[in-house]
Amino acid sequence: MTAYAESSLSSTAASAGPAAPGAGPTLRAPQAQDAAAIHQLIAECPPLDLNSVYVYLLLCEHFRRTCVVAERGGRVDGFISAYFLPEQPDVLFVWQVAVHERARGQRLAQAMLGHLKQRLASDRIRFLETTVSPDNQASRGLFKAMARRWQAPLQEQEFFQSTLFGRQAHDAEPLLRIGPFGAA
C-alpha cells in the first residue's frame, strides 16, 4: 500500500553525502536512528497503515539493505520498505512507499524504487511485487510507470480480500507483479 502523488524528480538523485540547499534528496539505506522519523512520516501519509516504532526499528536493522530512506536537509522525506520473499529470493516485495507532502510532485517514489532496484541488481531480481488497493490511483500510477520504465509487464491478481482483515475496515489488497526483468 502506498501514499503520494508524484510528478518530476531529476534522475540524478544523490545516493550519498549531505544534500546541498536546493539539491535533490540523498537516497540511502535506513539506520536505526531513522525509525522514529519514519514512523512519523508514515503517520503523515494516510492511507498507509501505521506500524509501531519497533517495526520500523526492525526494518532499519534487519531489512536495511532492501529499504530506502530519502533525506533532504536532515529530514526524512520518503521511505520504502521491501524484502525478498523467503521462498522466492528473486522476488522483491515492496511493502510501503511513503513520500511526505513537502516532497510530492518530484517523482521521489520513482527515484527511490529505481535506486533500490539498482542497489539490488546483483541479487538478480526477476520480479517486483506489491499490493495496492483498487482506489489508490497514485500508487497504481507509480507501479504502471515503473513497469513502463523497466520495460516489463505488469500483472494484477487477487491476493488479500477485505474479509481477511477481520473487524478492521480495510480494502482488498490485489497483488501487482512487475516482471520478469531482463529476459536474459
Side-chain angles (χ1 to χ4, degrees):
M1 178 193 255
T2 62
Y4 58 83
E6 295 297 315
S7 78
S8 79
L9 176 72
S10 162
S11 62
T12 59
S15 60
T26 298
L27 304 178
R28 60 175 175 77
Q31 301 170 3
Q33 302 89 303
D34 297 317
I38 291 167
H39 181 267
Q40 184 63 41
L41 170 68
I42 302 299
E44 295 174 5
C45 290
L48 289 179
D49 295 327
L50 183 62
N51 298 291
S52 69
V53 174
Y54 185 76
V55 168
Y56 297 108
L57 280 165
L58 289 175
L59 287 168
C60 291
E61 283 294 315
H62 295 172
F63 298 97
R64 70 184 313 269
R65 203 170 136 270
T66 56
C67 295
V68 177
V69 164
E71 181 181 44
R72 185 185 324 226
R75 296 187 302 193
V76 173
D77 280 350
F79 177 67
I80 291 180
S81 58
Y83 56 89
F84 287 105
L85 296 183
E87 295 182 21
Q88 297 175 56
D90 62 346
V91 178
L92 182 68
F93 186 85
V94 174
W95 179 10
Q96 288 186 317
V97 177
V99 174
H100 195 279
E101 185 176 2
R102 68 181 163 258
R104 292 181 187 163
Q106 302 172 31
R107 292 190 181 159
L108 182 55
Q110 288 185 24
M112 289 189 298
L113 281 171
H115 171 85
L116 184 59
K117 186 174 178 285
Q118 184 177 8
R119 184 183 343 140
L120 299 172
S122 65
D123 289 286
R124 300 183 185 180
I125 300 168
R126 291 195 61 231
F127 297 95
L128 182 143
E129 293 184 347
T130 191
T131 63
V132 180
S133 62
D135 63 341
N136 190 335
Q137 294 306 308
S139 295
R140 289 177 167 276
L142 167 66
F143 289 101
K144 285 178 185 175
M146 297 312 291
R148 282 191 304 272
R149 176 190 270 180
W150 294 332
Q151 300 177 343
L154 172 71
Q155 298 175 345
E156 181 173 341
Q157 65 186 50
E158 286 187 18
F159 196 57
F160 293 134
Q161 296 300 316
S162 60
T163 56
L164 294 174
F165 292 93
R167 293 184 183 180
Q168 181 182 4
H170 200 292
D171 290 336
E173 292 278 342
L175 182 73
L176 300 182
R177 180 178 240 218
I178 301 173
F181 300 119

